[in-house]
Amino acid sequence: MHRKRGSLILCGTFLFITWNAILVLLLWGRPTPSGDQGEVVSRTNKDLVEDVIQITNTIENELEIQKELLIQILNHQSRSSNKNKPKVVAPAQPVIPILVIACNRVTVRRCLDKLLQHRPSAQLYPIIVSQDCGHADTAEVIRSYGNQVTHLKQPDLSDIAVRPEHKKFQGYYKISRHYHWALNQVFKTHSHSSVVIVEDDLEVAPDFFEYFRAMLPLLKSDPSLWCVSAWNDNGRDGYVDPGKANLLYRTDFFPGLGWMLLREVWEELEPKWPASFWDDWMRQPEQRRNRACIRPEISRTLTFGRQGVSLGQFYDKYLRYIKLNTEFVPFTKLDLSYLKEETYRENFIKEVYSAPVVTYEEVTQGQLKGPGPFRLQYSSKNSFKLLAKNLGIMDDLKSGVPRTGYRGTVSFLSRGKRIYLAPPPGWTQYDPTWS
């Protein structure tokens, strides 16, 4: 290719020089009239001027032809050169980075191995590991992945001044500080427009990436949503429908544990980010602002980290039994319009409040007739907590919102039947004093 291009350039240059040499010879070879011949007298000055003009026009025309020829040769050279350059192809789909929040668990390897195993594209899903704590062994594990991940280190490892009664909560303060720094890295330093946040003790399902890819357009287009979560707080085996791996819900409760956030929401939250207990802060009405999250029937994450700042709270009783989805659901090919706010709310209310009301005894003693669903009604904070605890679902409330709740209703399976633990008809709002 280089030899052919060089020959074309030499050929063009030779033609250019040769043609102009011929023009010069023609001009020199024109007869010059002698001063003693009568013909000179007959030639007028006008004839001489016309000859000069004709010759000049001829030269100009030929020079223009030679100019075009050289331009074509240079363009051909440029095209040939560009063919040899590697093409940079921009991804047709948005990039969704995965931010892994790490500290001092060498078991982060399990988290990273699963992410890399199920990741369909390194270009579309860059993995960013942000490490706090300065733990050398954990840092070595992360470094062992080389360029498969980006390893960030939180620079401020100092203790945080807290009230004496909060000294035992120092870990929660450091976690909040780390989240603040790491999310600024993703959105401000690396200029991403969205992120999926994964803690270092989470294992992801085979369709984890597919799920978030499908949810991103919905999250961007629906202002009544502010997050997408891979987690079902009541997603223990026996409490979810194994035949409904494709079923998704809206929930007023912020689930966390593998969740997607948009840059616009971070710009809203970042200036007032709390010093500690960031997840409960997210669940307050001032932050939630009546917005919902999307969550699945069957979790797309599983936590394996019993030890942490929460000292295993809920782990032994609930979290260790969460069912991780194993069936790949092609969410990007499904019609998800049922999750839009107005459509979902109308259908949900109709289904819940058209379901027959049953008693606790009928549910627990297997006396329900028909396929369901069924509605089990609560009337107060205490009645909700008592029913939830006895039925085996999580009974705590955050700012009045039950885990997985939507409009006060919690959906789960009991003895194979769909149960809606719901407030009376006409529900309008949560009571923040229910905690």
Side-chain angles (χ1 to χ4, degrees):
M1 180 60 74
H2 292 292
R3 184 179 298 172
K4 183 178 179 181
R5 190 166 65 248
S7 299
L8 286 170
I9 295 170
L10 287 174
C11 179
T13 306
F14 174 75
L15 289 172
F16 180 80
I17 295 172
T18 301
W19 181 253
N20 286 285
I22 291 171
L23 288 176
V24 173
L25 289 174
L26 286 173
L27 289 173
W28 282 354
R30 289 182 68 88
T32 305
S34 302
D36 56 353
Q37 294 179 348
E39 295 170 346
V40 175
V41 177
S42 63
R43 285 180 73 88
T44 64
N45 288 335
K46 182 179 179 181
D47 293 332
L48 290 172
V49 170
E50 288 178 350
D51 283 347
V52 171
I53 290 173
Q54 183 178 358
I55 292 170
T56 302
N57 287 338
T58 301
I59 293 173
E60 287 179 351
N61 290 336
E62 293 305 324
L63 286 174
E64 190 65 30
I65 292 171
Q66 296 303 317
K67 175 184 174 184
E68 290 297 324
L69 178 61
L70 286 174
I71 289 174
Q72 291 177 20
I73 292 170
L74 290 172
N75 286 340
H76 184 272
Q77 178 185 10
S78 176
R79 286 194 299 269
S80 299
S81 175
N82 288 336
K83 285 181 181 178
N84 295 326
K85 291 181 179 179
K87 293 183 179 181
V88 178
V89 180
Q93 303 180 64
V95 172
I96 305 175
I98 311 299
L99 173 63
V100 179
I101 299 292
C103 180
N104 58 358
R105 290 189 178 109
V106 294
T107 51
V108 67
R109 183 181 298 280
R110 177 175 170 181
C111 171
L112 294 176
D113 284 348
K114 286 297 181 180
L115 284 170
L116 292 170
Q117 176 186 339
H118 298 311
R119 181 173 68 169
S121 165
Q123 185 181 18
L124 293 177
Y125 305 97
I127 296 173
I128 302 170
V129 186
S130 181
Q131 186 191 1
D132 199 2
C133 309
H135 190 250
D137 290 343
T138 302
E140 184 56 37
V141 169
I142 299 167
R143 276 196 299 268
S144 71
Y145 288 87
N147 61 9
Q148 294 184 93
V149 306
T150 299
H151 186 190
L152 305 179
K153 294 182 179 180
Q154 209 281 89
D156 187 359
L157 304 181
S158 63
D159 284 339
I160 300 173
V162 300
R163 304 194 305 268
E165 62 270 25
H166 272 206
K167 188 174 181 180
K168 62 181 179 180
F169 299 131
Q170 178 78 209
Y172 288 101
Y173 282 82
K174 290 186 176 182
I175 288 173
S176 190
R177 177 177 66 184
H178 184 198
Y179 265 83
H180 184 269
W181 181 84
L183 287 169
N184 272 339
Q185 290 294 303
V186 169
F187 290 123
K188 295 185 178 181
T189 304
H190 294 273
S191 301
H192 289 294
S193 59
S194 66
V195 68
V196 176
I197 302 154
V198 175
E199 287 82 0
D200 58 357
D201 61 346
L202 291 182
E203 178 181 325
V204 302
D207 58 354
F208 174 87
F209 294 94
E210 171 78 2
Y211 170 65
F212 283 108
R213 171 68 56 188
M215 293 301 107
L216 181 59
L218 183 64
L219 183 61
K220 285 183 172 181
S221 64
D222 188 345
S224 70
L225 293 173
W226 72 319
C227 89
V228 176
S229 174
W231 182 256
N232 176 0
D233 274 296
N234 291 314
R236 290 188 294 158
D237 200 7
Y239 288 79
V240 294
D241 188 341
K244 296 287 183 66
N246 63 337
L247 181 58
L248 305 176
Y249 298 82
R250 293 175 73 102
T251 176
D252 300 320
F253 190 86
F254 170 71
L257 293 174
W259 57 287
M260 176 182 280
L261 176 71
L262 298 181
R263 177 168 54 199
E264 293 81 2
V265 177
W266 177 243
E267 289 172 349
E268 170 196 326
L269 298 176
E270 190 268 340
K272 56 179 182 176
W273 191 252
S276 64
F277 307 109
W278 69 269
D279 48 350
D280 284 344
W281 175 82
M282 290 273 288
R283 292 160 182 154
Q284 294 173 357
E286 295 80 8
Q287 280 64 252
R288 190 172 66 82
R289 292 168 49 193
N290 293 319
R291 292 174 292 190
C293 295
I294 300 296
R295 60 96 175 170
E297 168 78 358
I298 304 178
S299 289
R300 265 60 187 186
T301 52
L302 173 72
T303 178
F304 54 84
R306 182 181 185 278
Q307 297 301 322
V309 292
S310 64
L311 301 177
Q313 184 184 21
F314 298 132
Y315 184 84
D316 289 331
K317 189 173 181 180
Y318 296 103
L319 304 184
R320 65 182 299 181
Y321 301 107
I322 294 293
K323 179 179 175 62
L324 181 67
N325 181 62
T326 56
E327 172 191 345
F328 186 92
V329 176
F331 283 111
T332 56
K333 296 181 173 65
L334 301 182
D335 180 4
L336 302 173
S337 59
Y338 72 93
L339 291 168
K340 293 181 179 179
E341 181 183 25
E342 187 173 347
T343 302
Y344 187 89
R345 183 179 64 249
E346 290 179 0
N347 291 337
F348 188 85
I349 292 173
K350 181 179 179 181
E351 178 163 332
V352 170
Y353 291 100
S354 63
V357 178
V358 295
T359 65
Y360 169 75
E361 289 74 20
E362 289 174 321
V363 174
T364 56
Q365 295 174 14
Q367 297 175 354
L368 301 178
K369 306 297 183 183
F374 302 95
R375 176 160 50 103
L376 182 60
Q377 190 164 293
Y378 67 89
S379 57
S380 65
K381 178 182 76 171
N382 289 337
S383 68
F384 170 83
K385 293 178 74 71
L386 182 62
L387 287 169
K389 182 176 181 180
N390 289 335
L391 288 165
I393 61 173
M394 298 189 77
D395 64 341
D396 61 323
L397 304 115
K398 302 292 183 179
S399 297
V401 185
R403 291 181 185 267
T404 76
Y406 178 72
R407 296 184 61 84
T409 298
V410 175
S411 173
F412 62 98
L413 248 58
S414 179
R415 295 173 174 260
K417 307 286 188 179
R418 176 65 60 184
I419 305 296
Y420 292 121
L421 182 56
W427 181 97
T428 56
Q429 62 184 1
Y430 293 102
D431 183 346
T433 65
W434 287 23
S435 295

